[in-house]
Amino acid sequence: MRIFLLSGQSNMAGRGGVHHRRWDGVVPPECAPDPSILRLSAALAWEEALEPLHADIDTTKTCGVGPGMAFARAILPRLQPPGTAGVGLVPCAVGGTAIREWARGEYLYEQMVRRARAATECGEIEAVLWYQGESDAESDAETAAYQGNVERLIANIRADLGMPHLPFIQVALASGNKRNIEKVREAQLSINLLNVVTVDAIGLPLNEDNLHLTTEAQVKLGESLAQAYISNFLQATC
């Protein structure tokens, strides 16, 4: 399998279709299950991927549609040779988490690495998909330190997985604290490391909370992440 880590906070975990803490259960065709797309459960078992992908990972919040399934379905036809490779998704995102909670030695980081290592028994990790930063925009100090913390995260996960060139596809924020969102976005867009690509989510439609992406937006984001992977990494290996 081609394996992808899905990590960060709530917009990666998925809140599409969540209203008043309840998910509407609507799964668009772009996110429909496919027998060639699997997910690693919280119990480290591979199973058919179904929305919400993070239901047993981000357990204290209500999960809905995220970008993972749309991403997987978009890249599946491009895998070579056709029909011989599946996609394995490893959900790791947890809503409301700041970048300091993803530092080496912290629970979320160590859980992500543990899940990544377990996944490699069935394939190779192709990329990390990362969408996080809304929580850091709440603090001036965390905003100021954000770029360095993300760069450290990338270096740590590459070192701990023994993959120094592991692709890292991050999302520039679509929403967040008005005082600091542009500063966090600037930090994200300023990261200039090998095999790090940024997809900009600005302008995608938001739920009524003005923080979380709608189901439609999550589909568009997943497809944008897929295009970033295909154009930057997949063609180089096929």
Side-chain angles (χ1 to χ4, degrees):
M1 284 192 293
R2 308 286 186 99
I3 296 170
F4 299 87
L5 306 185
L6 311 177
S7 201
Q9 57 181 113
S10 56
N11 271 317
M12 178 59 75
R15 299 291 188 264
V18 175
H19 307 281
H20 308 295
R21 299 182 182 180
R22 299 190 69 174
W23 179 46
D24 62 16
V26 176
V27 178
E30 296 90 345
C31 301
D34 184 291
S36 295
I37 304 173
L38 303 181
R39 71 179 287 274
L40 191 69
S41 73
L44 304 181
W46 288 106
E47 60 188 20
E48 186 174 14
L50 301 171
E51 294 286 11
L53 289 177
H54 281 78
D56 62 349
I57 300 295
D58 191 10
T59 56
T60 65
K61 306 288 177 59
T62 302
C63 292
V65 173
M69 283 300 293
F71 168 85
R73 288 185 63 95
I75 68 167
L76 195 60
R78 302 296 296 271
L79 301 183
Q80 300 293 329
T84 62
V87 175
L89 301 175
V90 183
C92 300
V94 176
T97 53
I99 190 70
R100 66 178 183 277
E101 297 176 78
W102 295 92
R104 180 185 270 159
E106 297 294 331
Y107 173 77
L108 291 176
Y109 177 85
E110 298 301 331
Q111 176 178 255
M112 176 174 61
V113 171
R114 177 176 64 91
R115 288 175 56 74
R117 288 173 175 161
T120 59
E121 296 180 5
C122 294
E124 294 188 2
I125 298 174
E126 295 289 316
V128 177
L129 308 185
W130 175 260
Y131 190 166
Q132 189 276 335
E134 295 95 339
S135 290
D136 293 86
E138 297 293 328
S139 162
D140 292 350
E142 292 186 354
T143 293
Y146 190 77
Q147 182 174 344
N149 285 332
V150 173
E151 291 175 345
R152 192 172 302 111
L153 168 73
I154 296 168
N156 286 344
I157 194 169
R158 286 173 169 175
D160 290 343
L161 295 180
M163 302 180 70
H165 304 300
L166 176 64
F168 189 94
I169 307 175
Q170 65 166 347
V171 180
L173 295 185
S175 59
N177 181 281
K178 291 182 179 180
R179 174 171 172 168
N180 288 321
I181 181 175
E182 287 305 325
K183 295 177 182 177
V184 174
R185 282 176 45 79
E186 181 180 355
Q188 293 169 326
L189 295 167
S190 296
I191 293 175
N192 184 23
L193 298 175
L194 178 68
N195 286 353
V196 175
V197 174
T198 304
V199 170
D200 198 344
I202 199 71
L204 290 177
L206 303 172
N207 286 333
E208 61 271 11
D209 60 10
N210 289 317
L211 181 64
H212 296 112
L213 300 184
T214 66
T215 297
E216 174 192 5
Q218 288 286 16
V219 170
K220 291 180 179 178
L221 177 61
E223 292 173 345
S224 295
L225 288 165
Q227 186 54 53
Y229 170 68
I230 291 166
S231 60
N232 289 281
F233 305 114
L234 185 60
Q235 292 176 353
T237 61
C238 292

